Amino acid sequence: MTVRKNLCTRQQDGRGGTVQNGAMSSQAAASLPQPSVPESQFDIRRLRDAFGHFATGVAIVTARGSAGQRLGMTINSLASLSLQPALLLWSISCSSRSHDQFTGHVHHFAIHVLGEHQQELSRQFHQSGQERFAGLEVVDDAHGVPLLSGCLVRFECATEQIVPAGDHSIVIGRVRHIQEHPGQPLLFHRGRFGRFQGVS
């Protein structure tokens, strides 16, 4: 596993800007094309709303923390990355309370892709200030990762690499085991849950 420490720490670059720890060299950065619209012109809320037009599935990631505590959170940033080797990725905000655990201490985790019947479960793992595993039937795998039942598919993974990316960190996992169940996916679009309806 490749893990970079202090992923979200920024420092001055000497020109009034900031650079990420472990950032690329100035020569490499200079070779990148410049954005057509200055970053400062983007309103964060507008950008978030624009990203929201892209409908996604919904998943829950679980793991075991450094002190043995159960970790779990709802995500919609899941993406397939590679077939050979079998890799997937998801991202976590640097401001998340679980960020340092997932990026610095977790070596194994599980991704649970939710079905259309699991909307309340998604909310349970999104809300703060409560025991997210309360009332759930949970089985630990060989690495102590809590596994949830009833999802469409579960990917049990080993952490392969952590990549800093702006105000998030990208977690790349190597898929070790897959378990599937029939059903329809839970979808998320512009802040609302939905169901899949095929077109002829």
Side-chain angles (χ1 to χ4, degrees):
M1 173 179 75
T2 302
V3 178
R4 303 182 190 179
K5 300 295 184 181
N6 300 323
L7 300 177
C8 296
T9 302
R10 295 169 180 250
Q11 59 188 12
Q12 292 297 318
D13 64 3
R15 295 175 296 176
T18 59
V19 294
Q20 193 84 29
N21 282 356
M24 67 184 72
S25 67
S26 58
Q27 293 89 345
S31 66
L32 295 176
Q34 296 300 309
S36 57
V37 179
E39 229 177 284
S40 60
Q41 292 188 15
F42 281 121
D43 175 81
I44 292 178
R45 183 65 200 183
R46 180 188 176 195
L47 183 59
R48 183 192 297 272
D49 289 345
F51 284 152
H53 284 284
F54 184 68
T56 70
V58 183
I60 291 172
V61 56
T62 61
R64 183 72 62 172
S66 58
Q69 73 276 31
R70 290 172 171 173
L71 303 174
M73 60 186 298
T74 300
I75 63 170
N76 70 332
S77 57
L78 176 65
S80 58
L81 180 59
S82 170
L83 296 178
Q84 293 182 336
L87 301 174
L88 55 72
L89 65 82
W90 61 282
S91 65
I92 183 170
S93 172
C94 295
S95 63
S96 169
R97 293 185 301 174
S98 300
H99 176 272
D100 291 348
Q101 288 290 325
F102 275 111
T103 60
H105 299 284
V106 168
H107 299 282
H108 297 86
F109 61 88
I111 299 285
H112 307 78
V113 178
L114 302 187
E116 61 182 1
H117 62 288
Q118 295 179 302
Q119 184 173 329
E120 290 306 315
L121 184 62
S122 171
R123 289 197 174 99
Q124 182 168 332
F125 276 83
H126 180 68
Q127 296 174 359
S128 59
Q130 70 174 35
E131 169 51 52
R132 296 181 175 182
F133 291 88
L136 299 179
E137 181 181 342
V138 179
V139 176
D140 292 347
D141 72 3
H143 303 286
V145 176
L147 303 179
L148 308 178
S149 61
C151 56
L152 289 187
V153 60
R154 182 173 65 229
F155 300 96
E156 296 174 46
C157 305
T159 303
E160 180 80 5
Q161 188 176 2
I162 307 295
V163 181
D167 57 9
H168 279 62
S169 293
I170 299 170
V171 181
I172 298 176
R174 184 179 290 258
V175 180
R176 299 297 192 187
H177 182 70
I178 299 172
Q179 184 172 7
E180 297 177 87
H181 296 283
Q184 294 296 318
L186 179 64
L187 302 181
F188 190 73
H189 175 253
R190 305 202 72 185
R192 299 176 61 187
F193 291 107
R195 297 180 178 181
F196 177 78
Q197 182 175 353
V199 294
S200 55

